[in-house]
């Protein structure tokens, strides 16, 4: 398992910005992300935080 796949599986990252020809591991990465989404871990615990365009930090502003 790669570092990238581990981060995806733990919900610490999302798949994004993948452009040909750099698609070699995309299937494994998307499956790892699906598992973390279904488990509701990491960024997937926060509703509407992770989007297809990146992260929406306005949904969960930092508390001071």
């Amino acid at each position: 398992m790669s570092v990238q796949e581990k981060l995806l599986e733990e919900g610490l990252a999302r798949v994004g910005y993948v452009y040909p020809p750099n698609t070699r591991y995309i299937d494994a990465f998307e499956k790892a992300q699906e598992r973390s989404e279904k488990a509701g871990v990491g960024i997937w615990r926060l509703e509407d935080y992770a989007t297809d365009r990146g992260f929406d930090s306005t949904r969960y502003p930092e508390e001071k």
Side-chain angles (χ1 to χ4, degrees):
M1 177 180 290
S2 69
V3 171
Q4 295 89 335
E5 196 171 350
K6 184 72 172 167
L7 290 170
L8 289 163
E9 201 161 83
E10 292 184 8
L12 300 174
R14 70 171 188 83
V15 175
Y17 310 106
V18 179
Y19 305 104
N22 301 320
T23 59
R24 183 176 185 179
Y25 303 106
I26 190 69
D27 291 336
F29 291 168
E30 287 176 342
K31 286 178 185 173
Q33 179 175 303
E34 279 181 34
R35 288 191 294 272
S36 66
E37 282 184 72
K38 285 181 183 175
V41 297
I43 60 175
W44 307 110
R45 303 182 281 128
L46 307 171
E47 188 176 348
D48 298 327
Y49 175 65
T51 71
D52 60 348
R53 296 189 55 178
F55 301 103
D56 184 358
S57 60
T58 64
R59 299 287 300 164
Y60 297 91
E62 274 187 59
E63 292 182 22
K64 294 185 181 191

